[in-house]
């Protein structure tokens, strides 16, 4: 009983000590309310609007900075030269020609051409996804966080592979992760150092024709194609890449000779410091 009485006395003492603070807070609160009531309504509303707008702007900036990706996905058919391009971008070396990869090559690095540059340079997270049909499911692992896609085409052996390359590109361009985020795509015509290589204009036109045929054939099979999330182009019009919701451009390169300036420009356009 004595202990309980002692605690009761302590509580009474704390209550008495807190009473002045309570009175002071009530006084400040009343003063604040009186001050706010003296402010004209228009000024008060304007101040609240500015405060809300500033808070929203800061939150949006933070979210945008946090979600900004530096991942570039390198893909295309097997033998198109993706892995050589990966090494050129990373090391400035072709690693002595063709390399067939069965697992994704992945690395985060400053582009080799920028290693001597001064100032703030953002590293690129480059993923080389194998082109073999059985391994393309790995592509879906990286697309959601991609800032850009480089689709590599063999400009030397283009015609025998035109149909297969166009089908693969069609599948990429109709994926929900690509369409909704409007991920930019670069169709990179590789091996253009060879005399018999096709030009990027020829390759673009041929792929547009093939994709136009694919649109017709796949829509005829099923109006709700379960393999693709979105349809391409404008109904009733001949397909062109300009009709895509995301930006699709075409460029040339040579992985073996190190002529990769156009792909480097695409990377820097989409992965900025």
């Amino acid at each position: 009983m004595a202990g309980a009485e002692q605690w009761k006395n302590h509580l009474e003492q704390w209550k008495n000590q807190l009473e002045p603070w309570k009175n002071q807070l009530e006084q400040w609160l009343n003063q604040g309310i009186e001050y706010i009531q003296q402010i004209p309504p228009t000024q008060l509303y304007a101040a609240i609007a500015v405060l809300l707008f500033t808070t929203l702007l800061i939150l949006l900036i933070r979210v945008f900075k946090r979600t900004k990706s530096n991942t570039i996905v390198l893909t295309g058919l097997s033998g198109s030269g993706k892995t050589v391009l990966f090494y050129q971008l990373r090391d400035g070396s072709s690693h002595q020609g063709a390399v067939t990869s069965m697992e994704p090559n992945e690395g985060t690095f400053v582009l080799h051409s920028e290693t001597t540059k001064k100032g703030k340079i953002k590293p690129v997270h480059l993923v080389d996804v194998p082109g073999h049909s059985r391994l393309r499911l790995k592509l879906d692992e990286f697309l959601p966080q991609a800032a850009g896609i480089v689709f590599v085409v063999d400009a030397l052996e283009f015609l025998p592979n035109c149909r297969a390359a166009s089908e693969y590109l069609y599948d990429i361009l109709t994926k929900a992760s690509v369409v909704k985020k409007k991920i930019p795509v670069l169709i990179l015509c590789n091996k253009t150092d060879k005399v018999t290589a096709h030009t990027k204009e020829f390759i673009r036109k041929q792929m547009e024709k093939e994709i136009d045929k694919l649109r017709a054939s796949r829509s005829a099979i099923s109006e709700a194609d379960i393999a693709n999330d979105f349809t391409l182009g404008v109904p009733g019009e001949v397909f062109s890449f300009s009709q895509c919701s995301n930006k699709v451009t075409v460029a040339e390169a040579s992985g073996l000779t190190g002529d990769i300036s156009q792909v480097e420009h695409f990377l820097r356009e989409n992965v900025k410091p």
Side-chain angles (χ1 to χ4, degrees):
M1 291 295 290
E5 190 68 30
Q6 189 176 7
W7 272 107
K8 186 178 179 182
N9 292 335
H10 282 311
L11 286 172
E12 285 294 331
Q13 289 176 8
W14 289 341
K15 184 179 178 181
N16 293 332
Q17 289 173 0
L18 290 173
E19 193 67 30
W21 286 100
K22 178 186 174 185
N23 295 334
Q24 184 65 52
L25 285 172
E26 287 178 350
Q27 185 181 349
W28 287 343
L29 182 61
N30 291 330
Q31 288 175 353
I33 292 171
E34 288 176 8
Y35 177 75
I36 290 171
Q37 288 175 343
Q38 292 172 7
I39 300 173
T42 52
Q43 291 184 17
L44 182 61
Y45 297 150
I48 292 171
V50 169
L51 180 63
L52 289 173
F53 176 77
T54 305
T55 304
L56 181 62
L57 188 63
I58 290 170
L59 288 172
L60 286 173
I61 290 171
R62 286 183 177 179
V63 168
F64 178 75
K65 283 186 174 180
R66 188 162 53 246
T67 57
K68 196 171 183 181
S69 173
N70 67 335
T71 299
I72 299 291
V73 175
L74 200 63
T75 191
L77 298 181
S78 294
S80 57
K82 299 181 302 299
T83 305
V84 172
L85 286 165
F86 177 92
Y87 289 136
Q88 280 285 8
L89 290 164
R90 191 189 69 178
D91 308 327
S93 167
S94 65
H95 283 233
Q96 298 181 345
V99 182
T100 301
S101 57
M102 297 304 287
E103 288 293 328
N105 287 316
E106 189 175 355
T108 302
F109 49 83
V110 172
L111 299 179
H112 179 75
S113 62
E114 297 176 336
T115 51
T116 57
K117 286 186 178 180
K118 295 181 180 179
K120 190 176 181 181
I121 300 173
K122 187 173 183 178
V124 175
H125 179 214
L126 193 62
V127 183
D128 164 25
V129 180
H132 196 284
S133 57
R134 289 181 299 173
L135 304 172
R136 287 180 198 167
L137 288 175
K138 292 181 180 290
L139 184 68
D140 293 328
E141 297 176 20
F142 302 101
L143 285 182
Q145 66 261 27
I149 300 167
V150 178
F151 187 85
V152 185
V153 176
D154 185 341
L156 191 63
E157 299 293 333
F158 171 68
L159 285 177
N161 298 306
C162 179
R163 175 78 178 183
S166 300
E167 285 181 344
Y168 188 15
L169 182 59
Y170 178 96
D171 290 338
I172 291 172
L173 293 175
T174 52
K175 286 183 181 292
S177 56
V178 175
V179 177
K180 289 181 179 179
K181 290 179 64 181
K182 295 186 176 180
I183 301 174
V185 176
L186 176 69
I187 301 171
L188 188 65
C189 307
N190 191 26
K191 307 181 185 180
T192 53
D193 57 301
K194 305 298 182 183
V195 178
T196 54
H198 295 284
T199 65
K200 66 178 184 179
E201 289 80 11
F202 176 82
I203 290 171
R204 176 184 59 78
K205 288 177 182 178
Q206 293 302 314
M207 293 191 82
E208 284 177 338
K209 287 179 182 178
E210 283 297 329
I211 289 175
D212 197 43
K213 294 176 188 175
L214 284 167
R215 283 197 313 161
S217 61
R218 294 198 182 187
S219 61
I221 293 169
S222 172
E223 290 183 2
D225 187 355
I226 59 172
N228 300 98
D229 301 308
F230 289 85
T231 56
L232 283 180
V234 179
E237 292 185 17
V238 176
F239 173 77
S240 70
F241 289 119
S242 61
Q243 297 168 351
C244 295
S245 59
N246 53 326
K247 186 178 180 182
V248 180
T249 51
V250 186
E252 294 177 336
S254 172
L256 281 176
T257 64
D259 182 9
I260 54 172
S261 59
Q262 292 180 38
V263 67
E264 287 177 326
H265 177 74
F266 175 81
L267 266 59
R268 272 295 153 236
E269 201 174 40
N270 294 288
V271 180
K272 296 177 181 178

